[in-house]
Each structure stands twice: as C-alpha cells, then as structure tokens.
Amino acid sequence: MAANFWTSSHCKQLLDPEDVELVPAADRERGITPEEFRLVKIHMSFHIWRLAQQVKVRQRVIATAVTYFRRVYTRKSMSEYDPRLVAPTCLYLASKVEESTVQARLLVFYIKKMCGTGSDDKYRFEIKDILEMEMKLLEALDYYLVVFHPYRPLLQLLQDAGITDLTQFAWGLVNDTYKMDLILIYPPYMIALACIYIASALKDKDTTSWFEELRVDMNIVKYLNGNSGFL
C-alpha cells in the first residue's frame, strides 16, 4: 500500500461531486432517477454493513468495501452490475486487501441466512457468483485497490487539538460519512476535520483557535459539513 495519500491511486482518482452523482446512461434508460440511484447506494451500503457484522470484520474492511461499491458505480451501471451481488463481492475483495480474509462460502451462508426465502431470493448467490464478480470488479476498479480512510488522521488531529474525549463521537461521525460519497470526493484528512468540526460544535467544544492555527480553508470544511447532511 502507498504510504502517502498524495502519491496514491486514491488521490489521483478523487472525483467532482457531479461526476459521483451522475446516473449511468444504461440506468437512466431504465428510468432510474438520481434520487433512486442515491437511495440504492445507501441501502446496499447498509447491506454491506449488516453482512460485515455477521462475519465479524474490522471497521476498516467495511469502509473499504463501501468505497469499492460506490466507486464501481461511477464507472459501471447497476443494470450491468447487480448491486445485490456487487455488495457482498466488495466485502469479499476488501477483506483480502485489508488482510482480514473472509471466505466466500461464509458470505454466501450469511446472505442466505439474512435474506431468507420468498421475495428476497434475488439476494441468494453461490460461491461461483462471487468469485466471477470479483474478477469483474477488479477490472472495473482498474486494479486500484488502495483506499485511505479518515480514521488515522482523525485520531492524530484529535490528539493535536487536545480533545481526545470526543474520539468515540467523532469516530461515529466518520462511520456515517460512508452513507455518502464523500470518500470519493475529498481527501481523508478533510473528512476527519469536518467530523471534528461537527463533533466540537455539537459537544460545545471551542476549537476556533485550533482551526485557525491549522490554516485550513474553513470554507471547504463548512461546505463539506453542509453537504454531509449532519448540520
């Protein structure tokens, strides 16, 4: 993995917000609206989280899986790549990349257990389906699998600000950012700063002078907050 975000493939692949929100042509032809496109991504991100709780993987694996899932749909349509199969396959791929490997058969077992029978049969896949989709995802992602997350800079910045008592609250806010496409648009440290800004505001911590000392562009931090839906 690249040691420096600024020289990483993740940095080079940051996108403009309008590019992330764009509904692929094949999906538009099927009548999928931008709002429906956004809601499917939210729903399937939650599906990844639920499945991850069953197989007991670290938060970083979940975050990487959700990042892969969201990045795929900036390049491919949901018509081509069924989100119900892409979601568990992203978790499978992320578990290997983050060195916390989950066997495909275990994912298949829990998908069937979670979704049961009836109308949710479309969620029921076999091992070969996940393995085949894994190869398609690797191609869709151009084999760029490095993801930098806000968690490490969050801890470093909280310590620097002297407000480590906000760690749990701010960490939860970072988790919530994966319900959106922020990780595809902003550098991880900016997401961390935005979460600290929100946490300090909600917990009545005065961090004004600390932010001034950082000389960070507060317009960007506030813009990120305004587009995150937290404040």
Side-chain angles (χ1 to χ4, degrees):
M1 177 177 288
N4 188 324
F5 169 75
W6 301 108
T7 60
S8 71
S9 59
H10 183 168
C11 179
K12 295 173 184 176
Q13 294 183 82
L14 290 180
L15 299 168
D16 292 329
E18 55 268 24
D19 293 330
V20 171
E21 296 166 2
L22 184 66
V23 180
D27 292 334
R28 291 200 303 272
E29 291 173 3
R30 292 180 57 195
I32 297 177
T33 66
E35 179 64 9
E36 289 170 335
F37 187 61
R38 184 182 71 85
L39 290 175
V40 169
K41 289 192 289 184
I42 291 174
H43 175 73
M44 296 312 300
S45 295
F46 182 64
H47 180 62
I48 290 173
W49 180 85
R50 288 179 59 221
L51 185 56
Q53 300 307 304
Q54 295 293 322
V55 297
K56 296 179 173 56
V57 294
R58 295 176 294 123
Q59 180 62 40
R60 184 180 178 87
V61 177
I62 302 172
T64 298
V66 172
T67 303
Y68 289 165
F69 181 84
R70 290 179 172 276
R71 186 177 287 166
V72 164
Y73 291 112
T74 65
R75 304 173 179 190
K76 301 294 181 180
S77 71
M78 293 182 179
S79 305
E80 299 173 271
Y81 286 57
D82 187 340
R84 292 165 296 200
L85 177 56
V86 170
T89 308
C90 284
L91 184 58
Y92 175 64
L93 179 58
S95 75
K96 293 202 291 186
V97 172
E98 300 294 350
E99 299 180 348
S100 185
T101 305
V102 174
Q103 294 183 355
R105 63 178 179 81
L106 195 60
L107 290 172
V108 169
F109 171 79
Y110 279 112
I111 291 171
K112 292 178 178 179
K113 182 179 179 181
M114 287 166 50
C115 297
T117 58
S119 60
D120 283 335
D121 278 353
K122 291 181 180 179
Y123 280 86
R124 295 161 68 87
F125 300 103
E126 301 302 329
I127 295 173
K128 66 178 180 62
D129 298 318
I130 290 178
L131 297 181
E132 289 173 0
M133 180 54 74
E134 180 188 19
M135 300 310 299
K136 293 181 180 180
L137 291 185
L138 286 168
E139 292 181 6
L141 296 169
D142 292 331
Y143 296 89
Y144 291 133
L145 304 178
V146 172
V147 180
F148 284 78
H149 296 289
Y151 299 108
R152 180 177 294 179
L154 177 75
L155 296 178
Q156 294 170 338
L157 289 165
L158 285 170
Q159 185 172 9
D160 183 70
I163 49 174
T164 54
D165 54 316
L166 293 185
T167 299
Q168 185 175 355
F169 188 73
W171 189 281
L173 291 175
V174 170
N175 289 344
D176 286 342
T177 66
Y178 289 89
K179 297 175 182 176
M180 297 159 278
D181 291 308
L182 300 181
I183 194 67
L184 304 183
I185 303 169
Y186 301 100
Y189 85 95
M190 289 300 300
I191 297 174
L193 283 172
C195 290
I196 291 173
Y197 179 82
I198 296 168
S200 58
L202 294 178
K203 296 296 184 179
D204 295 322
K205 296 278 189 177
D206 186 3
T207 54
T208 304
S209 60
W210 179 74
F211 272 103
E212 289 176 351
E213 289 175 6
L214 287 180
R215 296 183 179 179
V216 65
D217 189 341
M218 291 304 295
N219 289 325
I220 296 177
V221 173
K222 292 175 181 178
Y223 174 81
L224 201 162
N225 288 335
N227 286 273
S228 68
F230 293 136
L231 290 180

